[in-house]
Amino acid sequence: TTSERFTYNTDIPEGRWIAEIIVPEPDEAELDQTARDAVDEELGISTDRTEKQLPVYRLERAEDRPIAFAETDDSVVRYSRGPGTVSGQGVTLSMLRAALESAGVGRPVLNDIDDDGRYEVDLSWERGNTDDLRSELRSYGVDLVETEAEIEVVEVNPRGA
């Protein structure tokens, strides 16, 4: 996920944190809350989820082009991403959305394309150059559109605030 999905209203201790939380037969919401509570207690913070209007990118199908990534199946599913690159096999457009967001495009990415296909993806663009990324995606029938949307964010506050 991108750092834009977090709002820090307090400093958190530096370093890496590893937490192991054991909850017998949890449901998804209980596990999520238990994990958040444990992290909050350890770091002396409180976190709240809220909606915020933020600048985002939306993946949309290009009007004049079909999706042109090479089609694959789900027998092999892998992808990698880094600054200015996303590649993989068996990649869905939802996975591509997440990969682009974590590859450092600078804002949340939403997927507005209704397509459950799996594709071979090999994108590279000049780091920080969204016009380059847009051009690369457009060649595969996908538009990267700048807009704003209500996004769930995590607010990090000092404990007791």
Side-chain angles (χ1 to χ4, degrees):
T1 192
T2 183
S3 61
E4 285 77 12
R5 291 185 185 255
F6 290 85
T7 302
Y8 295 95
N9 299 320
T10 187
D11 292 330
I12 59 171
E14 289 188 31
R16 292 183 166 225
W17 297 88
I18 300 172
E20 182 176 8
I21 300 160
I22 301 170
V23 180
E25 300 180 28
D27 67 21
E28 190 75 23
E30 179 184 4
L31 181 59
D32 180 58
Q33 186 61 50
T34 302
R36 286 193 292 141
D37 290 346
V39 169
D40 289 359
E41 185 174 328
E42 182 65 31
L43 297 179
I45 60 173
S46 66
T47 57
D48 296 304
R49 291 174 188 241
T50 187
E51 296 280 319
K52 228 179 194 182
Q53 187 79 13
L54 294 176
V56 299
Y57 290 119
R58 288 188 183 277
L59 294 178
E60 297 180 358
R61 187 181 301 263
E63 287 183 29
D64 58 342
R65 302 193 55 148
I67 301 297
F69 293 113
E71 291 188 38
T72 63
D73 58 30
D74 62 358
S75 61
V76 175
V77 177
R78 62 175 174 74
Y79 72 92
S80 63
R81 78 266 182 242
T85 183
V86 172
S87 62
Q89 185 175 346
V91 176
T92 65
L93 293 177
S94 291
M95 292 166 68
L96 176 61
R97 178 217 63 80
L100 287 170
E101 186 171 300
S102 63
V105 296
R107 58 177 71 180
V109 179
L110 306 176
N111 177 23
D112 285 351
I113 301 173
D114 185 22
D115 181 304
D116 59 359
R118 293 197 175 261
Y119 302 99
E120 185 171 329
V121 174
D122 189 15
L123 300 173
S124 62
W125 63 96
E126 183 184 335
R127 183 179 182 180
N129 184 339
T130 52
D131 289 336
D132 195 26
L133 174 58
R134 268 194 201 89
S135 177
E136 182 80 5
L137 286 167
R138 184 121 176 93
S139 71
Y140 291 102
V142 176
D143 281 333
L144 185 67
V145 178
E146 289 184 56
T147 188
E148 288 194 355
E150 286 285 320
I151 300 293
E152 183 181 56
V153 297
V154 176
E155 284 191 338
V156 180
N157 297 298
R159 182 168 237 168

